[in-house]
Amino acid sequence: MTDTLRLSKRMTELGLCSRREADEFIEMGLVRVDGEVVDVLGSRVRPDQQIELTRQAMAMQADRVTILLNKPVGYAAGLSENGEWPAWMLIKPETRSASDHSGYAFLKKHLNQLAPAGKLDVDSSGLLVLTQDGRIARKLIADAADFEQEYLVGLDGEVSETALARLAAGVTVDDELLKLARVSRQSDRQLRVLLRDSHKRQIRRMADAVGLRVTEVRRIRVGRIALGDLAQGQWRYLRPEERF
């Protein structure tokens, strides 16, 4: 017998939506399998079966927004801890960038189920992606290794060629091998670092291991989306034509 798997899981594998959205669409009767509506959670399908969303489901997805925020230090990307402010609180009309030419009107519903698509440490700043769209969340989280992240790293002191070579080769910290996609000298006291599928506080942990003291970590790009001229604490909508 051909192996089967949960319909919701298969939908996420196909990139149709997130797991949460899949369950929502199934319950609403907005999913067809081989042309027939399936509205029972836990339903199973074969890998060869055709799965599609109804027009209503696709319209619901099109109505969900993605926001790009230049997160300052001290704001938590996800759930706040130790009294830190959650980054989503910066999303309000008065902090919207004047350079936002997306055509979207700001609506309060755009804050509903707005979640970070990836991590950015509290003591790091720069580009944070917040989204209502499960497809984007899945790409940037589940498929994080496919999206290069670019950082500018400030240092308290100059970096030696030896330290730079060690960072480029990879460093073992707490029995874990940490590697950078690429590292180069931006200036005497600043590095340009490219990461894929980063680990918690990876840049700082690697720098500590080679005797460097980090003063700033700022993310300036995720995939093909750059921070650009977005001022710190300001945000804009991801335009429909933009792709990570």
Side-chain angles (χ1 to χ4, degrees), residues 67-131:
I67 286 173
L68 308 175
L69 170 69
N70 187 344
K71 185 188 85 66
V73 169
Y75 284 81
L79 295 175
S80 58
E81 299 177 357
N82 303 320
E84 298 142 353
W85 293 101
W88 65 264
M89 292 187 68
L90 291 169
I91 311 303
K92 46 193 174 182
E94 55 266 36
T95 56
R96 184 177 182 178
S97 173
S99 64
D100 186 339
H101 304 300
S102 62
Y104 288 107
F106 176 73
L107 303 173
K108 287 186 177 179
K109 71 175 185 178
H110 292 164
L111 298 177
N112 296 338
Q113 298 180 324
L114 188 68
K119 300 168 287 187
L120 188 61
D121 297 331
V122 169
D123 50 1
S124 297
S125 64
L127 181 59
L128 177 65
V129 181
L130 300 154
T131 188

Side-chain angles (χ1 to χ4, degrees), residues 53-68:
L53 300 178
T54 65
R55 289 184 180 179
Q56 183 181 344
M58 290 187 285
M60 289 172 63
Q61 286 183 322
D63 199 38
R64 292 172 178 169
V65 300
T66 296
I67 286 173
L68 308 175

Side-chain angles (χ1 to χ4, degrees), residues 99-243:
S99 64
D100 186 339
H101 304 300
S102 62
Y104 288 107
F106 176 73
L107 303 173
K108 287 186 177 179
K109 71 175 185 178
H110 292 164
L111 298 177
N112 296 338
Q113 298 180 324
L114 188 68
K119 300 168 287 187
L120 188 61
D121 297 331
V122 169
D123 50 1
S124 297
S125 64
L127 181 59
L128 177 65
V129 181
L130 300 154
T131 188
Q132 296 176 322
D133 191 331
R135 296 166 298 179
I136 289 178
R138 184 184 184 281
K139 283 181 180 179
L140 296 185
I141 298 173
D143 302 328
D146 295 335
F147 296 93
E148 193 173 70
Q149 299 180 39
E150 183 175 355
Y151 296 81
L152 294 179
V153 181
L155 302 169
D156 182 14
E158 296 185 17
V159 57
S160 67
E161 289 299 325
T162 300
L164 194 63
R166 287 183 64 192
L167 287 174
V171 178
T172 298
V173 181
D174 298 329
D175 298 324
E176 181 181 20
L177 177 61
L178 302 177
K179 298 193 71 173
L180 305 174
R182 200 181 316 161
V183 58
S184 59
R185 193 192 307 272
Q186 187 77 3
S187 65
D188 288 343
R189 297 194 176 193
Q190 189 178 63
L191 298 177
R192 176 174 172 265
V193 171
L194 302 183
L195 280 180
R196 289 181 181 269
D197 195 17
S198 64
H199 299 264
K200 186 175 182 178
R201 298 181 61 80
Q202 178 173 344
I203 293 174
R204 284 183 170 83
R205 291 165 66 198
M206 292 183 69
D208 285 346
V210 300
L212 298 175
R213 182 174 178 272
V214 172
T215 59
E216 177 190 29
V217 175
R218 179 159 54 100
R219 184 161 63 193
I220 61 172
R221 180 171 59 85
V222 176
R224 289 176 288 190
I225 302 299
L227 187 63
D229 62 357
L230 196 60
Q232 190 169 94
Q234 293 194 339
W235 62 276
R236 71 173 179 87
Y237 288 104
L238 183 73
R239 298 189 299 273
E241 73 274 12
E242 291 183 300
R243 297 290 184 272

